[in-house]
Amino acid sequence: MHIVTQNISRVFKLSTSAKALSMAKIMLGMQSHTTSNPEKKVAVESVSLTIREGERVGVIGHNGAGKSTLLQMIAGLAEPTSGSIDVQGHVNCIMTLGVGLREELSGRENIYIDGELNGKQREETAGLIEQIIAFADIGEFIDYPVRTYSSGMKARLAFAMIIFIEPEILIIDEALTAGDARFVVKAS
């Protein structure tokens, strides 16, 4: 298993309203004309990296640096404008807090559905469910509708569900930032 990117870039073409806002900022002196192109936004530029089996990698940068865009491209959720990506292994990702959780179902019901979606037989999921529930540590809420959960509870449940299906490659984009400090340490 590995991830190899070679000179990947992602450029977004701006909408008419975004172009107008950019030009207005330039005209008002809020933005330098030499550093701005109102036609496009470069989100990721010429990134090359290699991640080998067993490695853990963190992507660090300021807001708007392109971290999420890079992870989306590696996960196969977005295409690079240029460059190439080679991912060997099955990718599971948590890109946004609680995406994939069915709000009207309980946490327990979500675990069974997620197991099925990831190719597990109901009996396999039943054998893991107590470990998932214990790791998520959301108490009696496991049997309440997910719509009643706090952001942290959704993050803990989603993370517990995904790690117990034993993904080959796991990509997490800020989903754990809503959890409490104790859970973040537990999830590391």
Side-chain angles (χ1 to χ4, degrees):
M1 287 175 282
H2 69 257
I3 298 168
V4 177
T5 70
Q6 294 181 343
N7 292 321
I8 61 170
S9 295
R10 177 71 177 177
V11 179
F12 292 98
K13 293 182 185 195
L14 299 181
S15 67
T16 304
S17 59
K19 290 178 203 175
L21 178 60
S22 180
M23 288 304 294
K25 285 182 177 181
I26 290 168
M27 291 169 41
L28 293 171
M30 297 169 61
Q31 187 172 312
S32 168
H33 184 67
T34 58
T35 61
S36 175
N37 180 344
E39 300 295 317
K40 64 181 181 175
K41 166 67 175 137
V42 178
V44 175
E45 186 170 23
S46 300
V47 174
S48 295
L49 59 86
T50 300
I51 304 170
R52 292 175 185 83
E53 186 171 350
E55 292 182 330
R56 290 183 185 188
V57 176
V59 180
I60 300 170
H62 60 82
N63 286 342
K67 302 177 300 290
S68 293
T69 302
L70 174 64
L71 295 176
Q72 289 170 0
M73 289 188 292
I74 292 170
L77 302 173
E79 292 290 324
T81 306
S82 61
S84 65
I85 301 173
D86 178 32
V87 177
Q88 297 295 315
H90 180 74
V91 176
N92 289 79
C93 59
I94 304 174
M95 299 305 283
T96 305
L97 183 63
V99 169
L101 293 175
R102 288 120 195 114
E103 293 282 321
E104 294 304 316
L105 299 179
S106 71
R108 186 180 307 273
E109 292 166 326
N110 269 279
I111 293 168
Y112 278 107
I113 289 173
D114 191 62
E116 287 178 31
L117 291 174
N118 284 289
K120 294 213 176 289
Q121 298 295 322
R122 188 164 180 84
E123 298 77 31
E124 288 179 273
T125 303
L128 295 171
I129 197 160
E130 292 309 316
Q131 291 174 303
I132 295 169
I133 291 169
F135 193 89
D137 194 23
I138 58 175
E140 66 186 27
F141 283 92
I142 195 64
D143 292 310
Y144 293 9
V146 168
R147 66 180 158 70
T148 65
Y149 291 14
S150 68
S151 295
M153 292 165 69
K154 287 179 183 179
R156 292 195 306 267
L157 178 61
F159 185 78
M161 286 168 33
I162 204 162
I163 64 164
F164 279 93
I165 63 163
E166 299 175 346
E168 293 178 334
I169 298 171
L170 177 59
I171 296 175
I172 304 171
D173 184 20
E174 299 184 16
L176 296 179
T177 59
D180 57 56
R182 192 186 79 196
F183 184 78
V184 171
V185 169
K186 182 180 181 180
S188 296

